Amino acid sequence: IKINNEKIIFQEFELIHKKQKLSLINPFEFLDLKTGKFVEEPIVVNANSMQMNNFLRYLREDIDILDGELSGKIRFDLYEKSFSFKPVDIVKVDRILLKASENLSIFDIKNLVLRDTEFVVDNGTFLMNIIAESGATNFSLKGKIGKDDFFIEMPTSYLELEKFEEIVGLKMKGKGTLSFLLRKDPITKNLVVETKKDFKDLAVKG
């Protein structure tokens, strides 16, 4: 840490918790002593097995439905009432897990790469836009979770089902297209899944 009469600058730091590790790549200004303002510039780190829900869990219980482990270069932008984090270039994803409940996975897939992806927390509302690839599997996820909003959507995407640990609680095989919308019923508050699919050689693995 470098401190002078005007600024506090982080020149390097490393955070480690079990297998998770964050290492600062470039120095950043933490505090402007003249204005009293905190970080106003991007923070770029190298991440190893960074768990996404560490950055989201304080928002709402609903965020617990989404988890994942990222490895690669990550950029954080911090603002007064919001922050975002997104991969720089291509980032390896050890796992993305989307849960309808503690015991039911909408899907669970490992060993992906992310591109053109961003997660934003703005005034208590979580927004995400994910583009992920694994071999021929290529899908996107869009979502908004806040006080008056709850949806996670996968537009029509091509999937190789054997790459998934689970889809809607089942181990499946086959190839084809899938789209779904996960939303919360405004009256019952239950999660509802709407799907459209077109698979070849679809089968449930025992």
Side-chain angles (χ1 to χ4, degrees), residues 111-156:
N111 300 320
L112 301 163
V113 293
L114 295 184
R115 57 181 178 82
D116 299 327
T117 291
E118 184 171 25
F119 304 91
V120 177
V121 178
D122 187 5
N123 284 312
T125 296
F126 169 64
L127 303 155
M128 73 171 180
N129 189 6
I130 296 174
I131 298 178
E133 298 175 350
S134 177
T137 291
N138 187 315
F139 66 88
S140 62
L141 286 174
K142 299 178 181 180
K144 183 177 184 180
I145 300 174
K147 182 179 179 181
D148 300 315
D149 299 281
F150 186 107
F151 79 86
I152 295 178
E153 178 185 15
M154 176 191 284
T156 301

Side-chain angles (χ1 to χ4, degrees), residues 80-112:
E80 185 176 351
K81 294 184 179 180
S82 66
F83 73 88
S84 69
F85 62 99
K86 57 187 177 183
V88 178
D89 301 322
I90 293 176
V91 165
K92 176 188 173 186
V93 182
D94 302 313
R95 183 186 191 192
I96 289 182
L97 172 64
L98 179 63
K99 300 180 291 182
S101 67
E102 188 64 32
N103 299 315
L104 176 61
S105 298
I106 301 298
F107 69 80
D108 182 355
I109 185 170
K110 297 180 179 180
N111 300 320
L112 301 163

Side-chain angles (χ1 to χ4, degrees), residues 24-37:
L24 183 65
I25 294 177
N26 300 314
F28 71 91
E29 181 182 324
F30 175 70
L31 176 65
D32 187 316
L33 296 173
K34 288 187 175 181
T35 64
K37 290 185 177 181

